[in-house]
Amino acid sequence: MNTFLSRLNTIFAFTLSVMAGLTFLCFLSTVFNDHKTLVSINTGKIIVKSVPDYSTSREKNDLGFVVFDVHIFNWNVKQLFLYLTAEYTTQNHKLNQVVMWDKIIRRGENAILDYRSMNTKYYFWDYGNGLKGNRNVTLTLSWNVIPNAGTLPKVMGEGSHRFAFPDEYSHHGLQ
C-alpha cells in the first residue's frame, strides 16, 4: 500500500509543486520592475577616414573612430547584455544602426560601469561616404535583462548623446 516508490513519488511531486510556486513568486516579484535608468554617454576624439573596402570592391568607404565614456548603475539580475549603438541617416539610407560596443555582466560581477576614454569594440563602417561631415549621429545604450525567472525585457536607456563627424578626413593615426 505505502511502498517506498509511492512515498518517493509523493515527496517528488510535492517538491516540484513547491519549486514551481517559488519560481512563480520570483516572477511576480520582478514582472512590474521598470528596468530603465538614466545613462550618461559622452564622446572624446572623433575621427573619420576614407579607406578601401577590399572585400567587396576597390571603392573607398568611410570608417569612423569614436572614443566614448559610459556611466550606468548596478542591477540585481542573473545576467545583463549591454550594447552601444550609433544611429544616423545618409543620402542612400534613411536609417543606419551600428553596434559599436557590447559587454556581458554576470551575477556577482561589478555591475557599476564607469568607463572613460573607451575605444569602440567594433568598426564604425559606413558603406559609402555617409560619415564625413555627418552632423546627426546619436549614441544610445540598450540592454537585455536575463532575470532569474520571468520575461526577458529589451530596454533602451534614458538618455542619448548626439555628435558630429569632422568635415575632413584624417590622415593620421589615433594617437
Side-chain angles (χ1 to χ4, degrees):
M1 189 167 8
N2 286 333
T3 65
F4 175 74
L5 288 178
S6 67
R7 289 181 183 181
L8 187 64
N9 184 32
T10 303
I11 291 171
F12 181 71
F14 177 73
T15 304
L16 273 177
S17 300
V18 169
M19 294 300 287
L22 290 175
T23 303
F24 184 70
L25 289 176
C26 184
F27 162 73
L28 283 180
S29 70
T30 60
V31 73
F32 300 111
N33 283 356
D34 184 18
H35 295 286
K36 289 193 175 206
T37 187
L38 187 62
V39 175
S40 174
I41 306 170
N42 293 311
T43 52
K45 183 181 274 191
I46 302 168
I47 296 173
V48 64
K49 292 186 172 193
S50 181
V51 295
D53 180 11
Y54 294 111
S55 64
T56 57
S57 66
R58 295 277 183 204
E59 295 179 18
K60 288 194 168 194
N61 295 318
D62 286 354
L63 181 62
F65 296 95
V66 177
V67 175
F68 64 94
D69 301 334
V70 173
H71 178 75
I72 195 166
F73 83 103
N74 186 10
W75 275 280
N76 183 18
V77 295
K78 184 176 180 182
Q79 189 171 323
L80 195 65
F81 176 70
L82 297 126
Y83 53 99
L84 182 71
T85 56
E87 189 172 298
Y88 62 100
T89 60
T90 61
Q91 290 179 350
N92 296 337
H93 300 96
K94 295 282 184 197
L95 177 64
N96 296 285
Q97 291 179 320
V98 178
V99 175
M100 299 174 53
W101 175 84
D102 63 13
K103 181 168 179 61
I104 296 174
I105 300 174
R106 291 179 179 84
R107 181 182 18 212
E109 293 180 9
N110 185 11
I112 299 173
L113 301 181
D114 193 10
Y115 294 127
R116 303 284 178 209
S117 300
M118 290 283 297
N119 291 321
T120 59
K121 191 174 180 180
Y122 308 108
Y123 287 119
F124 193 156
W125 188 266
D126 182 66
Y127 292 104
N129 303 107
L131 295 182
K132 181 178 90 170
N134 194 323
R135 303 263 175 245
N136 195 18
V137 181
T138 304
L139 294 179
T140 56
L141 187 71
S142 303
W143 52 89
N144 295 354
V145 177
I146 295 94
N148 293 316
T151 60
L152 301 169
K154 183 176 167 185
V155 183
M156 180 181 282
E158 294 177 353
S160 61
H161 177 70
R162 183 167 283 153
F163 70 95
F165 275 106
D167 293 328
E168 299 295 325
Y169 289 120
S170 172
H171 301 290
H172 303 336
L174 291 174
Q175 289 84 0

